[in-house]
Structure formats: structure tokens, C-alpha cells
Amino acid sequence: MLLAIDMGNTQTALGLFDQDQLLQSWRMPTDRTFTKDEILVRLLGCFQMSGLALSCVDTICFAGVVPQLTREWRAVATQLGVRMIQVGPDTQMVTKVDAPNPAEVGADRIANAVAAEALYGAPAIVVDFGTATNVDVVDPRGYYIGGAIAPGIRISMDALTARAAKLSSISLEAPQRTIGRNTVEAVRSGTVVGAAAMAEGLVARIKDELGEPGAHVIATGGLAGLVAACTNVFDVIDQQLTLKGICEICRRLQA
């Protein structure tokens, strides 16, 4: 089976695939101090909790943004005696990237583009609500061509509460109205509805630039559902899109 790893700056998502079927998924923190042994302990715990054995894994496919942890995951694959594939350097022959410097494109963005084309068709726009809010654009040919990057919702919220003395930490929830009637409602409106309005504006501009008003719009990432409750700009919410893209890349490599 395939273990797909989507390592973001804050969280690492893991998905176990049998062919193209996602059997189980987990999340763990992305801690830059983790060693190979600490990753193995957490990985073993995830599998045991789900009644699975690590021995069922024969390939690890990895999309990550933290170089020192990439090395540790390679060491994990070596200890387990399984094949290790890194999205980007190892997969250029089966992905389509039209960028001035393809090496600069994040592995997660490549995986999102692959999954968007494979599952929903091209052209497509993916809005990924993670540590950063990434907007990934797939043109009518199926090529990733660029997009936009904005501060993530939690980063914005943390910065606001840290710099504004009268604001304490406020939980992230979708507000019932845009006009907040008190401070908590106002912050939630500005943060969550603001993220939805930003997505609406960027998507509209991107569709106009592409000349593709019918481009599919897909939301993914841990906070996708929260933002989607405040807008109808998304055609699909697929919180496992990046993992599915990693799986599709591996499938193409083995074809």
C-alpha cells in the first residue's frame, strides 16, 4: 500500500491508499525537532490505533516544505525498507508545471493541481486553507501555471490577538451575520467572512484572466469547511485533495 505524506508548516497529513482508495487518514504536528525515531513512534501509534500494521506499506510518497524533516522521513523509509518518492524532484516526468522556475513550486501545490485535473477536470482553481492560503491555478491544458499566496486564517487571527491588547484569543467559527454585534462576532466576521470574500475576489479575477468563467473551484485544507459556510464560490470541498494528488502522482509513476 501507499502512505502519502502532505507535510505543511503546521500539520502533517497522512493517508493510506490501497490503489486509489483512501483507507485511512491521520494528522500529526509538523515539529521541526522530530527525529526519525520520534516520527516512527508516532507513525506506529497511528497505525496501531487504526488496527493496521506498518508492514502493509511498500511505498512512501512525500510532499513537504521543511527540508530537515524531509531527510528524517527518508530515514524512516530506509528503516522500514520501503520505496521513497518525493513530489517535485522525483516526479517531474508525470506532472505538468508551466512556471519560470518549476523547482520553486511547492510540492503541495503540484499535488493539488494534479488532483484537481484528474478528479474534477481542467481548468480549475484550488483554494487551500492551511498555514498560508494558497490559490493554485490549472489552465485548460491541465498545467499548473501559478496562483496566489496569502497569510492563513490562523496566522491572521493570531497576529490580531497578539497585537490588539483588548482582544483575547477567540475561537474560529463561522458567524451568523457579517455585521458583528459585539467584539467576538466582529472578529469572526472579519476573519472568516473576510477569508471567504478574499477567495471570491481572487477566484473572480483569476477566471477573468484565464478567460474561463466555468473553471472548477475546489476548496481544500483544514479550514475549508469553515470558510465554505460563508460563500458559494466553491463547486467542491475536498479536504483530502492534496493526499489524493500525491496518490495520483504515484499511480502515474507506476503506469
Side-chain angles (χ1 to χ4, degrees), residues 6 62-65 86-89 103-113 242 246 249:
D6 170 26
F62 184 89
V65 297
Q86 184 175 350
V87 174
E104 286 184 353
V105 181
D108 55 339
R109 306 187 80 176
I110 294 172
N112 283 344
T242 313
I246 295 169
I249 289 169

Side-chain angles (χ1 to χ4, degrees), residues 20-21 27-28 37 60 146 171-172 192 204 207 215-216 221 244:
D20 60 353
Q21 183 180 1
R27 286 186 179 270
M28 65 171 65
D37 294 333
I60 292 177
S171 62
L172 280 174
V192 182
K207 285 184 174 182
H216 302 286
K244 292 175 182 177

Side-chain angles (χ1 to χ4, degrees), residues 104-149:
E104 286 184 353
V105 181
D108 55 339
R109 306 187 80 176
I110 294 172
N112 283 344
V114 167
E117 182 200 13
L119 298 174
Y120 305 107
I125 302 165
V126 179
V127 187
D128 189 344
F129 295 96
T131 303
T133 297
N134 291 338
V135 184
D136 306 318
V137 182
V138 181
D139 74 4
R141 303 170 299 158
Y143 277 76
Y144 167 89
I145 59 169
I149 302 175

Side-chain angles (χ1 to χ4, degrees), residues 52-80:
L52 298 165
L54 266 175
S55 58
C56 71
V57 175
D58 56 37
T59 303
I60 292 177
C61 192
F62 184 89
V65 297
V66 183
Q68 61 267 40
L69 285 179
T70 302
R71 292 191 295 269
E72 297 301 321
W73 273 102
R74 283 196 177 277
V76 167
T78 298
Q79 180 154 336
L80 293 176

Side-chain angles (χ1 to χ4, degrees), residues 14-18 20-25 240 243-244:
L14 306 92
L16 182 67
F17 287 86
D18 184 3
D20 60 353
Q21 183 180 1
L22 179 61
L23 299 182
Q24 186 68 49
S25 63
Q240 307 292 359
L243 292 175
K244 292 175 182 177

Side-chain angles (χ1 to χ4, degrees), residues 4-254:
I5 310 292
D6 170 26
M7 185 184 65
N9 284 294
T10 305
Q11 286 192 331
T12 297
L14 306 92
L16 182 67
F17 287 86
D18 184 3
Q19 302 296 326
D20 60 353
Q21 183 180 1
L22 179 61
L23 299 182
Q24 186 68 49
S25 63
W26 308 273
R27 286 186 179 270
M28 65 171 65
T30 299
D31 189 328
R32 287 164 171 77
T33 67
F34 278 175
T35 64
K36 172 202 69 175
D37 294 333
E38 288 169 311
I39 292 172
L40 270 170
V41 167
R42 287 179 175 267
L43 197 55
L44 184 61
C46 289
F47 272 68
Q48 289 180 340
M49 177 179 64
S50 302
L52 298 165
L54 266 175
S55 58
C56 71
V57 175
D58 56 37
T59 303
I60 292 177
C61 192
F62 184 89
V65 297
V66 183
Q68 61 267 40
L69 285 179
T70 302
R71 292 191 295 269
E72 297 301 321
W73 273 102
R74 283 196 177 277
V76 167
T78 298
Q79 180 154 336
L80 293 176
V82 303
R83 182 186 183 195
M84 172 78 168
I85 299 169
Q86 184 175 350
V87 174
D90 300 341
T91 63
Q92 292 177 0
M93 69 290 295
V94 296
T95 58
K96 295 186 284 187
V97 177
D98 184 356
N101 188 356
E104 286 184 353
V105 181
D108 55 339
R109 306 187 80 176
I110 294 172
N112 283 344
V114 167
E117 182 200 13
L119 298 174
Y120 305 107
I125 302 165
V126 179
V127 187
D128 189 344
F129 295 96
T131 303
T133 297
N134 291 338
V135 184
D136 306 318
V137 182
V138 181
D139 74 4
R141 303 170 299 158
Y143 277 76
Y144 167 89
I145 59 169
I149 302 175
I153 295 173
R154 291 195 186 279
I155 286 178
S156 300
M157 178 73 90
D158 290 346
L160 178 63
T161 56
R163 296 298 183 94
K166 291 188 176 181
L167 295 180
S168 59
S169 181
I170 296 171
S171 62
L172 280 174
E173 298 177 20
Q176 295 181 348
R177 59 183 69 86
T178 302
I179 301 173
R181 299 284 288 169
N182 54 51
T183 300
V184 170
E185 289 182 358
V187 170
R188 286 175 177 159
S189 175
T191 304
V192 182
V193 179
M198 180 184 72
E200 291 167 354
L202 286 171
V203 165
R205 287 170 178 254
I206 288 167
K207 285 184 174 182
D208 186 55
E209 282 189 25
L210 279 177
E212 295 287 348
H216 302 286
V217 185
I218 305 122
T220 192
L223 296 174
L226 180 71
V227 179
C230 300
T231 179
N232 60 2
V233 73
F234 304 118
D235 299 310
V236 179
I237 302 168
D238 188 342
Q239 293 182 326
Q240 307 292 359
L241 186 76
T242 313
L243 292 175
K244 292 175 182 177
I246 295 169
C247 178
E248 172 63 16
I249 289 169
C250 282
R251 187 196 66 77
R252 293 180 183 181
L253 284 172
Q254 295 166 357

